[in-house]
Amino acid sequence: MAVSVALLMAPAPSRAGEPTDQVRGAIDRVLEILKKKDLQGKERRVERRTLLREEISKAFDFNEMAKRSLGPAWRQRTPEERKEYVAIFRQVLENSYLGKVEAYQGEKIRYVKDSVEEGRIATVETLIVTGKGQEIPLNYRMMKEKSDWRVYDVIIEEISLVNNYRSQFAGILQRSSFQDLLARLREMVKASEPGSGSRK
């Protein structure tokens, strides 16, 4: 859920470094799409989601997130299995995010600070401010690729999205096969697709 919550918020003005600026830019573009009157309603859902997918693909490093979510089991996979896993895992994250984005209710975000380690790893610290004034800490872990910073993990209230998935997937792999894990992920994707009856 952290990914979906993370990019829903309208940014408050603040001074920040390059990683924060890129997170802010992604948020602005997502909100622009959500506010377009010609993209409102269920009948425009497919078109709206296509545009949203394009924006989040620029903000997130899905390959890195997929690799980290599988943990040590990643090394045991063939190139073909890795490719298939990345594609399905990406769909899981995107659909979770899209469902939450479309339920946006005007939450705000306050940028606290960002820090850069060794020039290519950064943490952007933020606070989500709910309608009731509750502040929820949410941090983005980012990696620099050429001139762009891309998110590879989101930490909400000190819980890592990637670590949470890795723990779940490790438990599944201890009890069953990698193909069983892929099958479960496909079911998650199917349940979150438009027309499935799911609200996620």
Side-chain angles (χ1 to χ4, degrees), residues 27-92:
I27 293 169
D28 284 344
R29 292 189 296 271
V30 164
L31 292 178
E32 267 185 49
I33 294 169
L34 292 176
K35 291 175 182 177
K36 285 186 177 180
K37 293 183 179 181
D38 60 343
L39 292 175
Q40 303 298 314
K42 292 183 179 179
E43 67 278 3
R44 304 304 299 274
R45 190 181 192 189
V46 173
E47 184 180 353
R48 183 174 64 247
R49 286 196 163 197
T50 296
L51 293 174
L52 290 170
R53 286 181 195 276
E54 290 176 1
E55 291 303 331
I56 63 174
S57 69
K58 301 172 187 175
F60 288 93
D61 186 339
F62 289 109
N63 286 341
E64 188 67 23
M65 295 179 84
K67 178 180 177 180
R68 290 171 180 260
S69 70
L70 206 55
W74 176 264
R75 295 192 296 270
Q76 302 167 14
R77 309 274 59 92
T78 66
E80 292 74 19
E81 287 176 330
R82 291 177 180 179
K83 183 177 180 180
E84 184 178 12
Y85 173 76
V86 169
I88 297 173
F89 183 72
R90 174 174 181 156
Q91 285 184 283
V92 170

Side-chain angles (χ1 to χ4, degrees), residues 2-4 6-7 26 55-65 90 93 97 140-141 145 149-154 161:
V3 171
S4 55
L7 289 181
E55 291 303 331
I56 63 174
S57 69
K58 301 172 187 175
F60 288 93
D61 186 339
F62 289 109
N63 286 341
E64 188 67 23
M65 295 179 84
R90 174 174 181 156
L93 291 183
Y97 161 69
Y140 303 84
R141 293 288 287 168
E145 297 180 3
W149 291 93
R150 302 182 74 196
V151 176
Y152 70 85
D153 196 7
V154 182
L161 172 75

